[in-house]
């Protein structure tokens, strides 16, 4: 079973095999949980955008600090995609 599921963690450093869980929690927060912020002022989305930007910048700094990938090009791709996400929020 371990060899069959190896593709789930083979791209990560041995100490970072749970990084995919962190990334999934970030995605859930940015797509689902952020909708519950500021329910009274539904038309005012500035607060949601500001929280999304802060969460994305925090994730970017954690990503660059921990460097969870074995290959550097995976880190560069993840960092670039998160930077483009921050640019879309800004």
């Amino acid at each position: 079973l371990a060899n069959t599921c190896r593709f789930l963690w083979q791209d990560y450093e041995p100490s970072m095999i749970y990084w995919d869980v962190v990334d999934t929690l970030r995605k859930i927060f940015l797509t689902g949980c952020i909708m519950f912020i500021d329910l009274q002022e539904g038309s005012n989305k500035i607060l949601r955008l500001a929280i999304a930007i802060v969460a994305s910048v925090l994730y970017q700094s954690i990503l660059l600090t921990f460097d969870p990938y074995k290959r550097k090009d995976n880190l560069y791709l993840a960092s670039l995609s998160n930077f483009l996400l921050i640019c879309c929020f800004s």
Side-chain angles (χ1 to χ4, degrees), residues 18-89:
Y18 296 109
W19 185 259
D20 208 21
V21 174
V22 173
D23 191 37
T24 303
L25 289 174
R26 174 190 63 97
K27 292 174 185 177
I28 290 172
F29 177 76
L30 289 177
T31 57
C33 296
I34 203 132
M35 295 305 296
F36 296 111
I37 297 172
D38 198 17
L39 290 176
Q40 285 78 21
E41 297 286 330
S43 61
N44 186 6
K45 296 179 179 73
I46 299 298
L47 179 61
R48 291 179 185 169
L49 283 174
I51 292 173
I53 290 171
V54 168
S56 296
V57 169
L58 180 66
Y59 176 77
Q60 179 82 359
S61 63
I62 291 171
L63 176 70
L64 293 175
T65 301
F66 286 106
D67 188 15
Y69 299 104
K70 287 182 181 176
R71 295 176 29 191
K72 289 295 178 190
D73 56 343
N74 286 340
L75 177 66
Y76 299 148
L77 183 62
S79 179
L80 177 66
S81 65
N82 194 51
F83 176 74
L84 292 174
L85 185 64
I86 293 169
C87 290
C88 288
F89 287 147

